[in-house]
C-alpha cells in the first residue's frame, strides 16, 4: 500500500477475497490462485524442459519485484503459497539496508521518470524502446542490479540453486542489460 501510495486500509478488502472460488463458481471450471511471480515461474517451468530435476530461483521484475522457486523440477509454493517472494529481501544499497522491492521494481523507475518531468506511461509498454530514458534507466539498472545480486546471493546461501532466471515486464534489451549487470555484481 505504501509503494502505490494507497490510503490506509484501502487494500484490506483484497486480503479475504477468494478469487479462485469466485471464478470457479462463475465459470464452472477449476481455478487456482497463485501470486503473479509464482504463476510466471510456473509458466517458465512449463515451457522449459531443461528444468527437470533442477532447483532454481525465478525473479520477475514488474511493477514490483517478486519470484518463484523450483525444487527438484517442480514449482514450490510453500505453506503460505508465497515461496520466492523475494521483494522483501533485505539489501544494502546506498549505504543503508532496505528491501529489494524499493530498488528493483518498475514503480521505483516510474517515480524517477516522473521526477525528471518525463512521461512514465512508456513503462506500461514493455515492447517499446526505453532508450529515451537515458541515464535515468541506466541508474535504475545499476541500482537494481546491485540489489538483485545481493538478494540472489542471500537466496543461494539457503538453497544451492543450479540457476537463476531473471525475467520481467521490460523490453528485452533492458532485461539483457540488467542480467549482465547482475552477473557483474
Amino acid at each position: 500500500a505504501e509503494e502505490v501510495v494507497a490510503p490506509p486500509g484501502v487494500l484490506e478488502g483484497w486480503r479475504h477475497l477468494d478469487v479462485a472460488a469466485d471464478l470457479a463458481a462463475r465459470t464452472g471450471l477449476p481455478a487456482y490462485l497463485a501470486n503473479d511471480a509464482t504463476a510466471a515461474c510456473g509458466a517458465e517451468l512449463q515451457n522449459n524442459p531443461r528444468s527437470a530435476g533442477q532447483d532454481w530461483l525465478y525473479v520477475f521484475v514488474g511493477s514490483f519485484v517478486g519470484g518463484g522457486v523450483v525444487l527438484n523440477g517442480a514449482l514450490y509454493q510453500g505453506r503460505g503459497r508465497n515461496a520466492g517472494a523475494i521483494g522483501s529481501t533485505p539489501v544494502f544499497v546506498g549505504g543503508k539496508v532496505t528491501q529489494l522491492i524499493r530498488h528493483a521494481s518498475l514503480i521505483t523507475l516510474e517515480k524517477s521518470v516522473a521526477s525528471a518531468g518525463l512521461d512514465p506511461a512508456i513503462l506500461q509498454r514493455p515492447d517499446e524502446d526505453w532508450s529515451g530514458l537515458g541515464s535515468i534507466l541506466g541508474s535504475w539498472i545499476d541500482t537494481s542490479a546491485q540489489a538483485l545480486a545481493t538478494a540472489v546471493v542471500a537466496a543461494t546461501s539457503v538453497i544451492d540453486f543450479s540457476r537463476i532466471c531473471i525475467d520481467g515486464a521490460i523490453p528485452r534489451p533492458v532485461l539483457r542489460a540488467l542480467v549482465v549487470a547482475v552477473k557483474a555484481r
Side-chain angles (χ1 to χ4, degrees), residues 88-132:
S88 58
T89 303
V91 296
F92 188 75
V93 176
K96 61 182 178 179
V97 176
T98 57
Q99 291 183 328
L100 177 63
I101 197 170
R102 302 233 186 253
H103 303 286
S105 297
L106 291 180
I107 198 157
T108 303
L109 178 58
E110 181 179 320
K111 290 174 185 176
S112 297
V113 169
S115 291
L118 301 172
D119 184 3
I122 192 168
L123 302 179
Q124 302 304 316
R125 299 185 296 272
D127 294 331
E128 292 195 19
D129 180 9
W130 291 7
S131 62

Side-chain angles (χ1 to χ4, degrees), residues 154-169:
T156 57
S157 72
V158 175
I159 297 174
D160 56 344
F161 293 112
S162 58
R163 76 180 182 119
I164 307 296
C165 176
I166 300 176
D167 196 2

Side-chain angles (χ1 to χ4, degrees), residues 12-73:
E12 271 310 303
W14 289 97
R15 288 196 189 278
H16 305 292
L17 183 66
D18 191 343
V19 176
D22 187 44
L23 187 59
R26 291 174 188 241
T27 64
L29 300 170
Y32 305 95
L33 184 65
N35 71 44
D36 55 350
T38 299
C41 179
E44 178 70 21
L45 177 63
Q46 182 69 30
N47 292 306
N48 193 339
R50 69 184 173 130
S51 299
Q54 291 187 358
D55 300 329
W56 48 277
L57 176 66
Y58 178 84
V59 178
F60 190 87
V61 178
S63 295
F64 300 106
V65 63
V69 173
V70 173
L71 295 177
N72 198 27

